[in-house]
Amino acid sequence: MTNTVPSPTPISMPDAAVLGYLARYSSPGTVTAYTLDLRLLFEWCARQGLDVFKNVERPHLELFARYLESERHNAPATIHRRLLVVRSFYQLAEFDGYIKKSPATHLRLPRVFKDETKTLGLDRNELGSMVYAARASTPSDSALITMLAMLGLRVSEACNVRIENTHGELRGHRTLSIIGKGTKPATIPLAIPVARAMDLAAGDRTEGWLCLRADGKQMDRRAASRVVVRIAKSVGIKTKISPHSLRHSYITACLDAGVPLRDVQVAARHNDIRMTVRYDRARGNLDRHANYAVASFIAGAA
């Protein structure tokens, strides 16, 4: 009997273009979001009798943007992101030879404004209160809050910390090894309070996930968010808070402690220092506001 290998099922051009585009991204969350963005485009084009690759032109995409705004009631920031996905999708389709020219090259993106004073993060006392309150909770809660607030880890990074990666040593420093955003490896030195919180969370275990839920399974983003909200509520923090609020607070705490901007960029693992500068600018929008200087200037003449 001859073993025959079935021939692979050919992938249609639209599917190949979409799958090839999505394959560029490794984050499941990013792939899910971009899949929805492209599905909205394909479904809208189908309702208009348009082929995404054959007869879509820039005016059609402008109308698609109005559909997102007026019918789906998407916020400007959401529309901006979705149109960026559409534009990069068409750019890649042009590069791969699926279309001759991208219709999205000159697509107008909505302007997005952000009040940076509303995302200042927690102050020193609030951040310290959360760290101490977490110590009175469970060891896993304490390790999570400590890593977010005192290492500035992203929530996905903190949830994926493994015990066996918390005992590195480099030039006399105990270190933590992680795979960060964009699958970039990072080696992070551990201050004594952070190392102690990690050791308490590990207990007698020598391997496996460091932070666990109450059922013994790996802590995920949702569980981590619930921990952050619960701890914040327990210390009387009334503002809306998330795991990223603690990473934000870590960065502003670095700046308040006098750490040079370049060193803060390295600690936060920002590719572009302009991202770090945004935290510094937001932090100073109120403290250094011109209104105080004007009030003092006029008062001096009274």
Side-chain angles (χ1 to χ4, degrees):
M1 181 177 179
T2 303
N3 291 328
T4 58
V5 179
S7 58
T9 303
I11 302 177
S12 65
M13 185 269 282
D15 289 342
V18 172
L19 292 174
Y21 176 77
L22 295 175
R24 295 160 60 91
Y25 304 97
S26 59
S27 167
T30 298
V31 172
T32 299
Y34 288 6
T35 299
L36 173 59
D37 298 336
L38 293 179
R39 190 178 74 202
L40 290 174
L41 172 67
F42 275 68
E43 291 176 349
W44 182 85
C45 287
R47 290 195 296 271
Q48 310 306 315
L50 298 169
D51 186 293
V52 171
F53 293 99
K54 293 181 179 179
N55 55 1
V56 168
E57 298 180 357
R58 183 197 57 78
H60 297 130
L61 297 179
E62 301 286 0
L63 292 173
F64 173 65
R66 300 290 76 72
Y67 157 75
L68 295 176
E69 177 185 16
S70 59
E71 294 189 38
R72 289 192 61 85
H73 305 292
N74 289 160
T78 302
I79 297 173
H80 187 277
R81 181 185 61 77
R82 285 184 165 156
L83 295 183
L84 280 177
V85 171
V86 169
R87 188 163 70 181
S88 62
F89 171 70
Y90 273 117
Q91 286 174 342
L92 192 64
E94 178 184 340
F95 178 81
D96 289 339
Y98 293 118
I99 56 177
K100 291 184 178 180
K101 184 178 180 181
S102 168
T105 300
H106 300 290
L107 178 62
R108 180 182 178 275
L109 302 179
R111 298 183 67 182
V112 179
F113 300 95
K114 186 176 182 180
D115 184 356
E116 294 174 332
T117 61
K118 292 184 179 180
T119 55
L120 293 177
L122 305 178
D123 62 29
R124 176 186 180 185
N125 292 332
E126 291 172 327
L127 198 61
S129 296
M130 286 201 64
V131 171
Y132 285 114
R135 291 176 184 172
S137 183
T138 68
S140 282
D141 290 354
S142 178
L144 173 72
I145 298 297
T146 300
M147 289 189 292
L148 295 174
M150 300 181 70
L151 297 182
L153 296 191
R154 298 175 176 89
V155 62
S156 58
E157 296 168 346
C159 290
N160 288 325
V161 167
R162 297 187 64 86
I163 296 171
E164 54 267 37
N165 296 331
T166 64
H167 290 275
E169 187 173 343
L170 182 64
R171 297 180 182 178
H173 299 275
R174 178 175 169 181
T175 61
L176 164 69
S177 298
I178 65 168
I179 301 297
K181 186 177 181 180
T183 66
K184 294 180 180 178
T187 299
I188 302 171
L190 301 178
I192 291 176
V194 180
R196 186 181 297 120
M198 288 181 162
D199 291 342
L200 288 173
D204 296 330
R205 296 179 296 135
T206 57
E207 61 181 15
W209 305 114
L210 179 66
C211 294
L212 303 177
R213 303 184 314 197
D215 60 4
K217 295 182 179 179
Q218 178 193 6
M219 186 173 292
D220 56 18
R221 298 173 65 98
R222 291 186 178 181
S225 295
R226 290 194 293 269
V227 170
V228 170
V229 171
R230 172 166 50 80
I231 298 297
K233 185 177 180 180
S234 72
V235 297
I237 296 175
K238 301 184 183 302
T239 56
K240 184 178 179 180
I241 191 170
S242 68
H244 184 71
S245 303
L246 297 186
R247 171 173 164 79
H248 192 148
S249 302
Y250 164 80
I251 296 172
T252 54
C254 288
L255 295 166
D256 287 340
V259 179
L261 193 62
R262 170 60 182 167
D263 292 342
V264 178
Q265 179 196 0
V266 172
R269 290 169 287 120
H270 286 152
N271 290 331
D272 192 331
I273 198 170
R274 288 177 295 184
M275 176 61 71
T276 317
V277 170
R278 285 179 56 188
Y279 287 86
D280 188 33
R281 186 170 63 245
R283 162 178 159 265
N285 277 351
L286 297 179
D287 294 340
R288 299 194 298 262
H289 201 282
N291 287 354
Y292 294 117
V294 171
S296 298
F297 177 75
I298 295 176

